[in-house]
Amino acid sequence: VMGTLPLNELDQAGLWAENTLKDLSRMFGHSQREAVWRGKLTIHLFADRHEYTEHAMVVESREIPREVQGHQFNMIETTYAAVPKPQEGSPATLKGLLVEQVAVAFLASQGETPGWFNAGVGRLLAARSDPKAEIYREYRHQVREAASDGDPVAALLDDKAGGDPSVLGFGLVDFLVTLRQGEKGLANLAAELRKKTAADKAIQTVYGIDRKALASSWAQWAVKKY
């Protein structure tokens, strides 16, 4: 863990990351004795957004979109997660953003899964670890609106339906862990998705629920719980 934050904040971030890795290893059946990343995961934390965007420009030769609040990047021998500390008054928190990116980096190391799935798992863990963070209440409100207005599955999986895949992915993962398979179902779903199985078919294989029933049950649950 390195960056431009005070040492005590860097140390605290390291503990958050280690706890997140333990949760992910449990959820996805990964032995903590085995390395997750080639080399190690490096976490870069920045005191402000300008430092964060400058880092991406220098190291990755790219501009970071304004809405992006953190990302992970794979290099030949290592992987890093980069996160800026949110400004005062932001609904997001450093803890939540860090947990999200550690989760995304973990899932990326296991194979190729859709961005909505990776973001959804990351935000699920972040919302659990930092339940008072306003950003996750905002995400749930957006999911509730999508569920109230139409078909949230179409909004997530169909390119023409609109909706933020990262937000809806969080809503879907949040719903799936309430089903009988619980968290274990996510590991099985990830395995199906890595086979390039269409997401709705992968969910049907793992959870035994077809697309129409998924849309209905997820929408009803979101409207009631969110």
Side-chain angles (χ1 to χ4, degrees), residues 146-160:
S148 300
D149 294 341
D151 182 346
V153 175
L156 174 61
L157 302 182
D158 298 342
D159 292 338
K160 297 180 180 179

Side-chain angles (χ1 to χ4, degrees), residues 161-181:
D164 184 334
S166 296
V167 172
L168 293 172
F170 166 51
L172 179 55
V173 170
D174 202 15
F175 166 67
L176 291 177
V177 296
T178 68
L179 301 182
R180 180 173 54 84
Q181 294 84 346

Side-chain angles (χ1 to χ4, degrees), residues 13-23 32 102:
L15 294 176
W16 291 337
E18 289 176 357
N19 289 334
T20 302
L21 182 57
K22 291 178 183 178
D23 289 338
Q32 294 189 48
V102 171

Side-chain angles (χ1 to χ4, degrees), residues 20-32:
T20 302
L21 182 57
K22 291 178 183 178
D23 289 338
L24 289 162
S25 297
R26 171 181 51 79
M27 291 172 68
F28 291 92
H30 187 279
S31 172
Q32 294 189 48

Side-chain angles (χ1 to χ4, degrees), residues 106-128:
F106 175 92
L107 291 169
S109 74
Q110 305 302 298
E112 187 175 351
T113 41
W116 65 261
F117 178 81
N118 296 352
V121 171
R123 290 177 175 180
L124 173 70
L125 291 178
R128 288 178 176 178

Side-chain angles (χ1 to χ4, degrees), residues 24-208:
L24 289 162
S25 297
R26 171 181 51 79
M27 291 172 68
F28 291 92
H30 187 279
S31 172
Q32 294 189 48
R33 296 180 180 180
E34 299 178 13
V36 177
W37 296 276
R38 179 181 297 180
K40 295 183 178 181
L41 176 69
T42 302
I43 297 173
H44 296 280
L45 301 178
F46 302 95
D48 59 51
R49 185 169 183 83
H50 175 72
E51 294 177 346
Y52 167 64
T53 56
E54 285 295 304
H55 174 271
M57 182 66 72
V58 172
V59 178
E60 304 171 28
S61 300
R62 70 185 182 105
E63 294 184 2
I64 298 294
R66 183 177 297 275
E67 67 274 12
V68 173
Q69 301 184 75
H71 69 282
Q72 67 93 30
F73 187 75
N74 295 320
M75 305 178 77
I76 295 176
E77 293 296 334
T78 189
T79 298
Y80 71 75
V83 180
K85 185 174 183 178
Q87 294 181 342
E88 186 174 351
S90 169
T93 63
L94 180 63
K95 183 178 184 180
L97 296 179
L98 174 64
V99 171
E100 287 183 26
Q101 294 310 317
V102 171
V104 170
F106 175 92
L107 291 169
S109 74
Q110 305 302 298
E112 187 175 351
T113 41
W116 65 261
F117 178 81
N118 296 352
V121 171
R123 290 177 175 180
L124 173 70
L125 291 178
R128 288 178 176 178
S129 66
D130 198 6
K132 294 183 179 180
E134 182 63 29
I135 190 69
Y136 302 109
R137 284 192 284 269
E138 291 184 4
Y139 290 154
R140 287 182 170 119
H141 179 72
Q142 292 177 45
V143 174
R144 189 180 193 279
E145 286 189 333
S148 300
D149 294 341
D151 182 346
V153 175
L156 174 61
L157 302 182
D158 298 342
D159 292 338
K160 297 180 180 179
D164 184 334
S166 296
V167 172
L168 293 172
F170 166 51
L172 179 55
V173 170
D174 202 15
F175 166 67
L176 291 177
V177 296
T178 68
L179 301 182
R180 180 173 54 84
Q181 294 84 346
E183 292 181 351
K184 293 182 179 179
L186 294 181
N188 295 330
L189 179 57
E192 283 296 321
L193 293 171
R194 292 188 190 110
K195 298 176 184 177
K196 306 301 181 184
T197 305
D200 53 350
K201 299 300 182 183
I203 291 171
Q204 185 171 358
T205 297
V206 174
Y207 296 94

